[in-house]
Short mmCIF file of all heavy atoms in Angstrom, two decimals:
data_model
loop_
_atom_site.label_atom_id
_atom_site.label_comp_id
_atom_site.label_asym_id
_atom_site.label_seq_id
_atom_site.Cartn_x
_atom_site.Cartn_y
_atom_site.Cartn_z
N PRO A 1 113.71 102.34 108.97
CA PRO A 1 113.43 101.59 107.76
C PRO A 1 112.71 100.27 108.06
O PRO A 1 111.79 99.88 107.29
CB PRO A 1 114.76 101.33 107.08
CG PRO A 1 115.64 102.42 107.64
CD PRO A 1 115.16 102.71 109.06
N ALA A 2 113.04 99.60 109.14
CA ALA A 2 112.41 98.35 109.48
C ALA A 2 110.95 98.60 109.86
O ALA A 2 110.03 97.82 109.48
CB ALA A 2 113.14 97.68 110.64
N LEU A 3 110.73 99.65 110.65
CA LEU A 3 109.34 99.99 111.02
C LEU A 3 108.55 100.39 109.78
O LEU A 3 107.37 100.00 109.68
CB LEU A 3 109.38 101.12 112.06
CG LEU A 3 108.08 101.46 112.72
CD1 LEU A 3 107.57 100.27 113.47
CD2 LEU A 3 108.27 102.66 113.72
N ARG A 4 109.14 101.13 108.90
CA ARG A 4 108.40 101.53 107.65
C ARG A 4 108.05 100.30 106.86
O ARG A 4 106.93 100.18 106.29
CB ARG A 4 109.29 102.46 106.82
CG ARG A 4 108.55 103.04 105.62
CD ARG A 4 109.43 103.99 104.82
NE ARG A 4 110.31 104.86 105.60
CZ ARG A 4 111.60 104.82 105.60
NH1 ARG A 4 112.27 103.92 104.86
NH2 ARG A 4 112.33 105.59 106.33
N GLN A 5 108.97 99.35 106.73
CA GLN A 5 108.70 98.12 105.93
C GLN A 5 107.55 97.27 106.58
O GLN A 5 106.65 96.81 105.90
CB GLN A 5 109.95 97.30 105.78
CG GLN A 5 109.81 96.05 104.93
CD GLN A 5 111.00 95.24 104.77
OE1 GLN A 5 112.02 95.49 105.45
NE2 GLN A 5 110.98 94.30 103.87
N LEU A 6 107.56 97.22 107.92
CA LEU A 6 106.50 96.55 108.57
C LEU A 6 105.21 97.20 108.39
O LEU A 6 104.16 96.55 108.10
CB LEU A 6 106.83 96.39 110.09
CG LEU A 6 105.78 95.74 110.95
CD1 LEU A 6 105.54 94.29 110.49
CD2 LEU A 6 106.17 95.77 112.41
N GLY A 7 105.17 98.53 108.47
CA GLY A 7 103.93 99.32 108.22
C GLY A 7 103.42 99.11 106.85
O GLY A 7 102.19 98.89 106.64
N ASN A 8 104.29 99.11 105.85
CA ASN A 8 103.89 98.87 104.43
C ASN A 8 103.33 97.49 104.32
O ASN A 8 102.33 97.28 103.56
CB ASN A 8 105.06 99.04 103.48
CG ASN A 8 105.44 100.50 103.34
OD1 ASN A 8 104.67 101.40 103.59
ND2 ASN A 8 106.68 100.74 102.95
N ARG A 9 103.86 96.47 105.01
CA ARG A 9 103.37 95.15 104.91
C ARG A 9 101.99 95.07 105.47
O ARG A 9 101.10 94.45 104.92
CB ARG A 9 104.32 94.20 105.67
CG ARG A 9 103.89 92.82 105.81
CD ARG A 9 103.99 92.01 104.49
NE ARG A 9 103.56 90.69 104.76
CZ ARG A 9 102.91 89.96 103.83
NH1 ARG A 9 102.61 90.37 102.64
NH2 ARG A 9 102.50 88.73 104.11
N LEU A 10 101.76 95.67 106.66
CA LEU A 10 100.46 95.66 107.24
C LEU A 10 99.42 96.42 106.39
O LEU A 10 98.26 95.95 106.28
CB LEU A 10 100.54 96.25 108.64
CG LEU A 10 101.38 95.44 109.64
CD1 LEU A 10 101.51 96.17 111.01
CD2 LEU A 10 100.78 94.06 109.87
N VAL A 11 99.80 97.48 105.85
CA VAL A 11 98.83 98.29 104.88
C VAL A 11 98.49 97.38 103.70
O VAL A 11 97.35 97.33 103.25
CB VAL A 11 99.40 99.61 104.48
CG1 VAL A 11 98.62 100.23 103.30
CG2 VAL A 11 99.48 100.51 105.65
N GLY A 12 99.53 96.66 103.15
CA GLY A 12 99.28 95.75 102.05
C GLY A 12 98.32 94.61 102.45
O GLY A 12 97.47 94.29 101.63
N ILE A 13 98.43 94.08 103.63
CA ILE A 13 97.53 93.04 104.07
C ILE A 13 96.09 93.62 104.24
O ILE A 13 95.16 93.01 103.82
CB ILE A 13 98.05 92.40 105.44
CG1 ILE A 13 99.33 91.65 105.20
CG2 ILE A 13 96.99 91.60 106.07
CD1 ILE A 13 100.03 91.26 106.49
N LEU A 14 96.03 94.80 104.87
CA LEU A 14 94.74 95.43 105.00
C LEU A 14 94.06 95.71 103.61
O LEU A 14 92.86 95.41 103.40
CB LEU A 14 94.85 96.73 105.73
CG LEU A 14 93.59 97.61 105.86
CD1 LEU A 14 92.48 96.86 106.67
CD2 LEU A 14 93.89 98.94 106.56
N HIS A 15 94.82 96.16 102.67
CA HIS A 15 94.31 96.40 101.34
C HIS A 15 93.81 95.13 100.72
O HIS A 15 92.72 95.08 100.07
CB HIS A 15 95.40 97.04 100.42
CG HIS A 15 94.96 97.28 99.03
ND1 HIS A 15 95.21 96.38 97.96
CD2 HIS A 15 94.26 98.31 98.52
CE1 HIS A 15 94.74 96.83 96.90
NE2 HIS A 15 94.12 98.03 97.18
N GLY A 16 94.56 94.04 100.86
CA GLY A 16 94.11 92.73 100.34
C GLY A 16 92.84 92.25 100.95
O GLY A 16 91.91 91.75 100.20
N CYS A 17 92.67 92.41 102.22
CA CYS A 17 91.44 92.06 102.94
C CYS A 17 90.26 92.89 102.43
O CYS A 17 89.17 92.30 102.20
CB CYS A 17 91.61 92.21 104.45
SG CYS A 17 92.71 91.00 105.17
N LEU A 18 90.41 94.18 102.32
CA LEU A 18 89.37 95.04 101.87
C LEU A 18 89.00 94.78 100.43
O LEU A 18 87.82 94.71 100.06
CB LEU A 18 89.73 96.52 102.06
CG LEU A 18 89.92 97.00 103.48
CD1 LEU A 18 90.42 98.41 103.52
CD2 LEU A 18 88.61 96.88 104.23
N LYS A 19 90.00 94.53 99.57
CA LYS A 19 89.73 94.31 98.16
C LYS A 19 88.99 93.00 97.92
O LYS A 19 88.06 92.94 97.12
CB LYS A 19 91.08 94.25 97.40
CG LYS A 19 90.95 94.13 95.89
CD LYS A 19 92.32 94.18 95.28
CE LYS A 19 92.24 94.00 93.77
NZ LYS A 19 93.53 94.00 93.14
N SER A 20 89.36 91.97 98.68
CA SER A 20 88.70 90.63 98.53
C SER A 20 87.56 90.42 99.41
O SER A 20 86.94 89.38 99.38
CB SER A 20 89.82 89.50 98.70
OG SER A 20 90.22 89.54 100.00
N ARG A 21 87.29 91.37 100.32
CA ARG A 21 86.22 91.29 101.29
C ARG A 21 86.33 90.09 102.16
O ARG A 21 85.35 89.37 102.32
CB ARG A 21 84.89 91.45 100.65
CG ARG A 21 84.63 92.76 99.92
CD ARG A 21 83.34 92.88 99.34
NE ARG A 21 83.25 94.22 98.75
CZ ARG A 21 82.11 94.66 98.19
NH1 ARG A 21 81.04 93.93 98.20
NH2 ARG A 21 82.08 95.88 97.75
N THR A 22 87.54 89.81 102.65
CA THR A 22 87.78 88.67 103.55
C THR A 22 88.29 89.17 104.87
O THR A 22 88.80 90.24 104.95
CB THR A 22 88.80 87.70 102.96
OG1 THR A 22 89.98 88.39 102.71
CG2 THR A 22 88.31 87.12 101.63
N LEU A 23 88.13 88.35 105.84
CA LEU A 23 88.68 88.65 107.18
C LEU A 23 90.15 88.34 107.23
O LEU A 23 90.64 87.48 106.51
CB LEU A 23 87.93 87.82 108.25
CG LEU A 23 86.45 88.11 108.46
CD1 LEU A 23 85.85 87.16 109.46
CD2 LEU A 23 86.23 89.55 108.84
N TYR A 24 90.82 89.04 108.12
CA TYR A 24 92.24 88.84 108.31
C TYR A 24 92.51 87.45 108.82
O TYR A 24 91.89 86.99 109.79
CB TYR A 24 92.79 89.89 109.30
CG TYR A 24 94.25 89.70 109.66
CD1 TYR A 24 95.29 89.98 108.83
CD2 TYR A 24 94.58 89.12 110.90
CE1 TYR A 24 96.60 89.73 109.15
CE2 TYR A 24 95.88 88.92 111.27
CZ TYR A 24 96.92 89.22 110.38
OH TYR A 24 98.17 88.99 110.74
N ASP A 25 93.49 86.77 108.28
CA ASP A 25 93.89 85.49 108.75
C ASP A 25 95.44 85.46 108.86
O ASP A 25 96.14 85.58 107.81
CB ASP A 25 93.43 84.40 107.79
CG ASP A 25 93.86 82.97 108.20
OD1 ASP A 25 94.20 82.80 109.40
OD2 ASP A 25 93.86 82.10 107.34
N GLU A 26 95.92 85.38 110.05
CA GLU A 26 97.38 85.45 110.29
C GLU A 26 98.13 84.35 109.54
O GLU A 26 99.21 84.54 109.02
CB GLU A 26 97.69 85.39 111.79
CG GLU A 26 99.14 85.53 112.08
CD GLU A 26 99.45 85.56 113.59
OE1 GLU A 26 98.53 85.60 114.38
OE2 GLU A 26 100.64 85.58 113.91
N ALA A 27 97.54 83.16 109.48
CA ALA A 27 98.24 82.03 108.76
C ALA A 27 98.43 82.34 107.29
O ALA A 27 99.38 81.99 106.66
CB ALA A 27 97.39 80.79 108.98
N THR A 28 97.44 83.02 106.68
CA THR A 28 97.52 83.41 105.28
C THR A 28 98.45 84.62 105.11
O THR A 28 99.31 84.62 104.17
CB THR A 28 96.14 83.76 104.80
OG1 THR A 28 95.27 82.61 104.94
CG2 THR A 28 96.20 84.11 103.24
N ALA A 29 98.35 85.60 105.96
CA ALA A 29 99.10 86.83 105.81
C ALA A 29 100.59 86.62 105.97
O ALA A 29 101.35 87.24 105.27
CB ALA A 29 98.60 87.85 106.83
N TRP A 30 100.97 85.74 106.81
CA TRP A 30 102.42 85.53 107.12
C TRP A 30 102.90 84.15 106.75
O TRP A 30 103.90 83.62 107.25
CB TRP A 30 102.70 85.79 108.60
CG TRP A 30 102.29 87.18 109.02
CD1 TRP A 30 101.17 87.54 109.64
CD2 TRP A 30 103.07 88.41 108.78
NE1 TRP A 30 101.20 88.90 109.83
CE2 TRP A 30 102.31 89.43 109.33
CE3 TRP A 30 104.28 88.66 108.19
CZ2 TRP A 30 102.75 90.78 109.27
CZ3 TRP A 30 104.72 89.94 108.18
CH2 TRP A 30 103.96 90.98 108.69
N SER A 31 102.14 83.42 105.87
CA SER A 31 102.44 82.05 105.56
C SER A 31 103.82 81.87 104.90
O SER A 31 104.46 80.91 105.20
CB SER A 31 101.41 81.49 104.61
OG SER A 31 101.35 82.21 103.37
N HIS A 32 104.30 82.83 104.12
CA HIS A 32 105.59 82.65 103.46
C HIS A 32 106.74 82.72 104.51
O HIS A 32 107.72 82.14 104.34
CB HIS A 32 105.80 83.67 102.38
CG HIS A 32 105.75 85.09 102.86
ND1 HIS A 32 104.62 85.74 103.20
CD2 HIS A 32 106.74 85.99 103.02
CE1 HIS A 32 104.86 86.97 103.57
NE2 HIS A 32 106.14 87.14 103.49
N HIS A 33 106.48 83.46 105.63
CA HIS A 33 107.49 83.48 106.69
C HIS A 33 107.50 82.22 107.50
O HIS A 33 108.53 81.78 107.97
CB HIS A 33 107.27 84.72 107.60
CG HIS A 33 107.61 86.00 106.96
ND1 HIS A 33 108.90 86.34 106.66
CD2 HIS A 33 106.77 87.00 106.48
CE1 HIS A 33 108.87 87.52 106.06
NE2 HIS A 33 107.61 87.95 105.91
N ALA A 34 106.33 81.58 107.69
CA ALA A 34 106.28 80.31 108.43
C ALA A 34 107.00 79.26 107.71
O ALA A 34 107.67 78.38 108.32
CB ALA A 34 104.83 79.95 108.63
N THR A 35 106.92 79.19 106.40
CA THR A 35 107.65 78.21 105.66
C THR A 35 109.15 78.40 105.67
O THR A 35 109.90 77.46 105.69
CB THR A 35 107.19 78.11 104.18
OG1 THR A 35 107.32 79.41 103.59
CG2 THR A 35 105.71 77.68 104.08
#
């Protein structure tokens, strides 16, 4: 389940990048965890 959740998170990040036509930025993708 942990691996599935991580995979879903990464697919969601990829989808957001493709939809907005932006490059991946780790600071943006994981910003809520950093705080």
